């Protein structure tokens, strides 16, 4: 009588050990879930389907879900922000489990199809028994959980439930660790950019340390911003800035560039040089600038903006210097240095020269056939005169 139950008890201990000793080091949570499910099946549990849902802190998505089905490839789903995603969540067993902080157990044949959004899929798929388990992380985040389902006619037994209860604390710990690492990576990337966030996580967190990177530097400035901010409501200004950023940032990123800073209405980006390929990065920066202006013109043509957008873009070739500056434990990982200042000062001349793209001599020297000389100019705060160029 106790043979199967004893076997499952022993297996549950082995699975717990595996979760805490091995699974915690698997970087892909989908792979960890797949291996966990295979171990549960090997222990004698007739598991046919399992899913996880993890709440994120992401600019574009609420969370991520993964679905394992026996004998099939893992499926990953991103849950975006928005009313449709919210409605889907409210119609799910996850919402009830997380509101009550209790397991939701469903006998599929006895549960109406319209009771939950997932019921039609479960009935069509031939599942008989479904369990949804809420997982509250130590930081209080509640929109996390795991589900298990079987096609076994008799459903899950009490011994199967004991195994699930035994492994859930270890499973929650692994999911929280992996979710925390993902959130940290995505938050840092959102606020400081790809390359800086990697440097910070690698330990570059000491004040005064600088790193020089040869690159093409792009500085885009929204024209008439002060005037618009005095005449438009704050909500309209925020919308205008976001629409402007939507025109410029994707064009930079699509060509291998990286946005380092939003400075008020300005955008500072770089195209990092690798293997002395200044020609490549300067062409990429010029292409991004041209495409960004085309996107701005297209946005203006729709006539839905609070005010027309107009940008001046400066292109320079030099060193982007990363540095940690600040005081005490409050630091800013920022971009500093002479070449960044030059790019910034060049944008002050876009309007007076009626030229939306201006290039420094260092930049134009990399692509001489694609530029035309505009003459020598002074840049505020920068010694000497500087030859500026425009696209040919």
């Amino acid at each position: 009588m106790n043979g199967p139950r004893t076997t499952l008890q022993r297996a549950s201990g082995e699975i717990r050990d595996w979760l805490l000793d091995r699974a915690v080091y698997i970087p892909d949570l989908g792979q960890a879930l797949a291996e966990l499910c295979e171990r549960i099946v090997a222990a004698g549990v007739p598991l046919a389907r399992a899913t996880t849902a993890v709440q994120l802190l992401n600019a574009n998505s609420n969370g991520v879900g993964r679905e394992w089905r026996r004998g099939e490839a893992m499926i990953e789903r991103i849950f975006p922000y928005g009313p449709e995603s919210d409605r889907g969540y409210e119609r799910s067993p996850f919402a009830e489990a997380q509101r009550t902080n209790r397991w939701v157990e469903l006998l599929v044949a006895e549960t109406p199809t319209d009771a939950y959004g997932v019921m039609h899929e479960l009935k069509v798929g031939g599942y008989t028994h479904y369990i949804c388990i809420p997982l509250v992380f130590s930081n209080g985040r509640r929109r996390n959980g795991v589900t298990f389902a079987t096609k076994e006619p008799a459903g899950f037994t009490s011994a199967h439930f004991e195994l699930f209860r035994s492994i859930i604390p270890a499973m929650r710990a692994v999911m929280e660790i992996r979710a925390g690492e993902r959130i940290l990576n995505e938050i840092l990337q959102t606020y400081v950019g790809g390359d800086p966030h990697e440097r910070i996580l690698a330990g570059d967190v000491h004040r005064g340390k600088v790193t020089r990177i040869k690159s093409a530097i792009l500085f885009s400035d929204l024209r008439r911003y002060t005037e618009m901010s005095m005449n438009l409501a704050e909500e309209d200004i925020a919308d205008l800035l976001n629409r402007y950023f939507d025109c410029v940032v994707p064009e930079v990123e699509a060509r291998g560039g990286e946005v380092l800073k939003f400075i008020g209405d300005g955008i500072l980006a770089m195209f990092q040089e690798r293997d002395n390929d200044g020609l490549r990065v300067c062409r990429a920066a010029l292409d991004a600038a041209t495409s960004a202006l085309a996107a701005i013109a297209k946005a203006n043509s729709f006539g839905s903006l609070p005010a027309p957008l107009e940008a001046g873009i400066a292109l320079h070739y030099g060193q982007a210097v990363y540095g940690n500056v600040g005081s005490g434990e409050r630091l800013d990982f920022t971009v500093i240095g002479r070449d960044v200042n030059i790019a910034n000062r060049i944008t002050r001349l876009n309007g007076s020269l009626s030229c939306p793209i201006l290039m420094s001599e260092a930049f134009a020297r990399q692509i001489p056939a694609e530029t035309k000389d505009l003459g020598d100019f002074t840049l505020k705060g920068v010694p000497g005169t500087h030859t500026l160029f425009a696209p040919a």
Side-chain angles (χ1 to χ4, degrees), residues 18 22 51 72 123 132 158 187 237 239 273 380 382:
W18 173 81
R22 301 282 298 279
T51 68
E72 300 182 23
K123 289 177 181 289
C132 181
S158 60
I187 286 291
I237 286 294
D239 179 51
E273 179 180 297
K380 184 179 179 180
V382 182

Side-chain angles (χ1 to χ4, degrees), residues 17-318:
D17 291 343
W18 173 81
L19 282 165
L20 297 175
D21 292 341
R22 301 282 298 279
V24 72
Y25 295 108
I26 299 175
D28 180 3
L29 195 54
Q31 179 186 344
L33 175 62
E35 292 191 29
L36 170 65
C37 292
E38 296 298 337
R39 289 173 182 272
I40 292 174
V41 171
V45 179
L47 184 64
R49 179 184 184 272
T51 68
T52 59
V54 177
Q55 186 178 8
L56 299 177
L57 281 177
N58 184 279
N60 298 309
S61 58
N62 252 326
V64 59
R66 295 175 178 85
E67 180 177 348
W68 172 89
R69 297 181 188 179
R70 192 169 181 179
E72 300 182 23
M74 179 68 63
I75 300 172
E76 180 172 310
R77 296 185 178 92
I78 298 296
F79 305 130
Y81 287 108
E84 183 176 349
S85 182
D86 291 340
R87 284 193 297 269
Y89 168 75
E90 290 300 328
R91 294 192 64 238
S92 73
F94 280 111
E96 180 179 342
Q98 288 155 0
R99 276 195 300 268
T100 63
N101 199 29
R102 295 180 178 178
W103 293 26
V104 174
E105 179 187 355
L106 304 174
L107 297 176
V108 177
E110 300 175 10
T111 305
T113 303
D114 61 357
Y116 301 98
V118 74
M119 288 311 302
H120 176 74
E121 177 189 340
L122 294 175
K123 289 177 181 289
V124 171
Y127 298 96
T128 58
H129 201 174
Y130 172 94
I131 311 165
C132 181
I133 305 168
L135 302 178
V136 180
F137 288 172
S138 62
N139 59 11
R141 295 195 175 279
R142 307 183 65 86
R143 284 198 173 190
N144 315 291
V146 58
T147 73
F148 298 114
T150 182
K151 296 183 180 181
E152 183 72 20
F156 293 122
T157 67
S158 60
H160 300 152
F161 271 77
E162 286 182 17
L163 181 141
F164 292 143
R165 290 192 182 94
S166 175
I167 67 173
I168 282 299
M171 189 177 181
R172 179 177 57 237
V174 173
M175 289 175 62
E176 181 168 0
I177 290 170
R178 283 283 156 256
E181 290 177 349
R182 177 167 180 166
I183 288 171
L184 177 60
N185 269 280
E186 292 181 350
I187 286 291
L188 279 175
Q189 185 157 355
T190 297
Y191 284 96
V192 303
D195 189 69
H197 111 271
E198 291 177 359
R199 293 176 183 274
I200 291 171
L201 290 178
D204 193 354
V205 294
H206 304 291
R207 189 174 71 158
K209 182 178 179 181
V210 297
T211 303
R212 292 174 172 82
I213 298 175
K214 194 76 170 179
S215 61
I217 300 169
L218 180 151
F219 203 108
S220 179
D221 184 54
L222 182 63
R223 315 305 299 172
R224 301 181 298 105
Y225 174 72
T226 301
E227 173 190 336
M228 291 186 292
S229 65
M230 296 301 293
N231 296 318
L232 296 175
E234 285 76 6
E235 293 80 4
D236 288 336
I237 286 294
D239 179 51
L240 200 67
L241 282 173
N242 286 330
R243 300 283 286 275
Y244 159 60
F245 294 149
D246 281 343
C247 291
V248 180
V249 174
E251 304 302 334
V252 169
E253 294 179 339
R255 290 157 183 81
E258 181 172 359
V259 173
L260 302 175
K261 281 283 184 181
F262 295 115
I263 307 171
D265 61 316
I267 301 172
L268 175 60
M270 76 168 187
F271 297 76
Q272 186 173 344
E273 179 180 297
R274 306 180 193 279
D275 301 323
N276 296 316
D277 55 353
L279 172 63
R280 178 189 65 82
V281 296
C282 288
R283 278 183 172 165
L286 177 57
D287 189 23
T290 303
S291 299
L293 291 176
I296 288 173
K298 184 176 181 180
N300 286 332
S301 70
F302 292 131
S304 60
L305 295 172
L309 294 173
E310 182 183 351
I313 299 178
L315 300 172
H316 181 48
Y317 178 66

Side-chain angles (χ1 to χ4, degrees), residues 314-344:
L315 300 172
H316 181 48
Y317 178 66
Q319 289 187 341
V321 182
Y322 290 142
N324 282 305
V325 298
S327 176
E329 295 185 355
R330 180 62 178 92
L331 300 180
D332 184 22
F333 195 90
T334 190
V335 185
I336 57 177
R338 179 179 183 276
D339 290 313
V340 172
N341 290 336
I342 289 174
N344 185 5

Side-chain angles (χ1 to χ4, degrees), residues 223 310-312 345-356 358 374 377-379 388:
R223 315 305 299 172
E310 182 183 351
R345 295 309 184 188
I346 291 175
T347 61
R348 308 296 176 90
L349 299 178
N350 287 105
S352 60
L353 297 179
S354 299
C355 188
L358 291 174
L374 297 178
F377 301 87
T378 58
L379 303 178
L388 299 183

